[in-house]
Amino acid sequence: MAHDDVDEFGEYTHEEILQALVLRLLTSADLDELCDDVDLPQLTSDGQPVTITAAHTYRDAGVLTLDRGVWLELSDGSAFGLTVHISRRPRGEVTLRRQ
């Protein structure tokens, strides 16, 4: 593992990786496609599919919190924060491995 990998995620490795994963998953396809993939109904507004218009980490979105998470803005004007919160730390040492 390169030294830069550790610096990128800092001491909050779990939160940062889960935050990056959620951000990537929610921006990898349109919201209606993601709903179809998991057999959920699609959100619509005025007969049009609701889409994710912006997705940022809390830090990049300017959310005033020390928590890690993803801020989502949808085409219907709604906004949601998905917070990654640690309830318990891992028992052993955890390292990063690139695939």
Side-chain angles (χ1 to χ4, degrees):
M1 173 178 58
H3 181 68
D4 290 343
D5 294 339
V6 174
D7 291 343
E8 178 183 351
F9 295 109
E11 93 180 78
Y12 300 101
T13 306
H14 286 76
E15 298 101 318
E16 293 289 339
I17 291 207
L18 290 171
Q19 172 183 268
L21 181 62
V22 168
L23 185 62
R24 173 72 175 129
L25 287 172
L26 291 175
T27 57
S28 64
D30 287 333
L31 190 56
D32 59 337
E33 292 173 14
L34 293 170
C35 289
D36 284 345
D37 288 346
V38 294
D39 200 26
L40 290 173
Q42 296 176 1
L43 295 170
T44 61
S45 178
D46 296 327
Q48 298 297 315
V50 173
T51 60
I52 297 172
T53 57
H56 305 283
T57 64
Y58 279 177
R59 182 178 300 145
D60 292 344
V63 177
L64 298 177
T65 181
L66 296 176
D67 292 331
R68 302 305 190 268
V70 176
W71 184 256
L72 300 172
E73 296 176 12
L74 305 183
S75 60
D76 64 357
S78 59
F80 296 89
L82 303 175
T83 301
V84 177
H85 177 77
I86 288 186
S87 296
R88 180 179 22 230
R89 293 274 180 197
R91 290 183 208 128
E93 181 180 346
V94 177
T95 60
L96 298 176
R97 177 181 60 147
R98 291 277 178 201
Q99 293 292 335

